[in-house]
Amino acid sequence: MDTLQQKLQKLTQNLWWTWRPEVRAIFRDIDLDLYHKAHRNPIRVLKEVDPVFLEYRAAEVDITIRTDRALRQLQEYLNPVTTWGLVHAGTLQSRPVAYFCAEFGIHESIPIYSGGLGILAGDHLKGASNLGVPLVGVGLLYRDGYTTQELDAGFWQHDVKEPYDIGDLPLEPSLDASGNPVRISVELPGRLVWAKVWETRVGRVRLFLLDTLDEANAPEDRPLAARLELAVHPDAGRR
């Protein structure tokens, strides 16, 4: 039988929780201060919470019962009897729509977006998931995230980098039919640039993210997709 920690970890592995406030509340109620310190990232919360304190909070705010209920709801969601997509878009089941976008704003704990375009793309994935539309997202994994801004004592804005650990995201290497990690190449002037492919689940939708931090790339090519503003606006670093 799975422990409470293992059950909670299962909940974090599908981004379904990002649009389910009652599921987010489970992690918030474990430790409110830690939840905000971790940028509302449930994976980081589980990594950093003291196991003894987790058991104490579980008894105090019914976390075990709420977690079991959420896991049942997730399984029912992932294995529906029918959906709008099954009824009206059945022909797409074997050849799903590929949705390419430079940004996907799924949740603030996954810093691969900067604004409206990303939020719209993220909502498209969530909507497709709820409708059961056969769709996969394809984007970029920005390992350095995107800058946030803060004001100094003189009210001047400054960019602040907030690096994150890729291990704090619900990502798995995408595998081919033989179980080998998937890599793709893009031809640039005079060379090939390789990208690893990572995968995460957004409800019923799969999101693939390309990562240029690949050993086959020249050192100057590895950070090509490291930062959102450089990938979308390549001249930004030369200003």
Side-chain angles (χ1 to χ4, degrees), residues 160-209:
V160 178
K161 280 190 179 181
E162 294 186 347
Y164 64 92
D165 184 344
I166 193 173
D168 291 338
L169 303 184
L171 296 175
E172 296 288 343
S174 185
L175 305 177
D176 63 19
S178 301
N180 300 312
V182 176
R183 295 164 70 237
I184 68 162
S185 63
V186 178
E187 186 173 356
L188 293 183
R191 67 199 191 280
L192 288 178
V193 173
W194 291 88
K196 302 173 185 176
V197 182
W198 298 87
E199 179 178 349
T200 189
R201 296 277 179 163
V202 185
R204 302 180 182 120
V205 169
R206 301 164 76 186
L207 173 59
F208 297 97
L209 298 172

Side-chain angles (χ1 to χ4, degrees), residues 21 48 51 53 58 62-63 68 72 79 96 108-109 112-113 123 142 148 154 160 164 167 173 203 214:
E48 298 180 23
F53 183 74
D62 295 328
I63 286 176
D68 287 340
R72 287 195 302 271
N79 300 282
E108 65 180 281
S109 64
I112 58 172
Y113 70 101
D123 284 349
Y142 303 108
T148 57
V160 178
Y164 64 92
D214 190 291

Side-chain angles (χ1 to χ4, degrees), residues 107-128:
H107 187 261
E108 65 180 281
S109 64
I110 307 170
I112 58 172
Y113 70 101
S114 64
L117 173 66
I119 296 299
L120 179 63
D123 284 349
H124 282 162
L125 297 193
K126 296 172 186 177

Side-chain angles (χ1 to χ4, degrees), residues 4 36 49 61 86 96 104 111 126 129 151 158-159 226:
L4 174 60
H36 289 295
V49 68
V61 292
L86 287 172
F104 284 95
K126 296 172 186 177
S129 173
L151 297 177
H158 296 276
D159 287 340

Side-chain angles (χ1 to χ4, degrees), residues 11-101:
L11 271 184
T12 69
Q13 296 308 298
N14 189 308
L15 294 170
W16 171 81
W17 62 263
T18 63
W19 68 94
R20 300 291 299 222
E22 74 279 9
V23 181
R24 297 198 304 274
I26 294 173
F27 298 96
R28 185 181 65 234
D29 290 348
I30 290 173
D31 187 326
L32 182 60
D33 290 339
L34 175 58
Y35 181 72
H36 289 295
K37 177 185 173 184
H39 295 282
R40 301 162 186 81
N41 184 333
I43 294 178
R44 279 189 58 192
V45 170
L46 293 180
K47 282 184 176 180
E48 298 180 23
V49 68
D50 180 87
V52 175
F53 183 74
L54 175 59
E55 292 298 326
Y56 164 74
R57 289 295 291 166
E60 191 172 49
V61 292
D62 295 328
I63 286 176
T64 301
I65 294 173
R66 293 159 64 190
T67 300
D68 287 340
R69 182 188 305 121
L71 283 172
R72 287 195 302 271
Q73 292 172 336
L74 175 58
Q75 288 307 308
E76 291 169 359
Y77 181 84
L78 295 178
N79 300 282
V81 174
T82 187
T83 65
W84 185 94
L86 287 172
V87 174
H88 299 284
T91 56
L92 295 176
Q93 296 297 326
S94 60
R95 296 177 65 86
V97 174
Y99 182 180
F100 292 82
C101 191

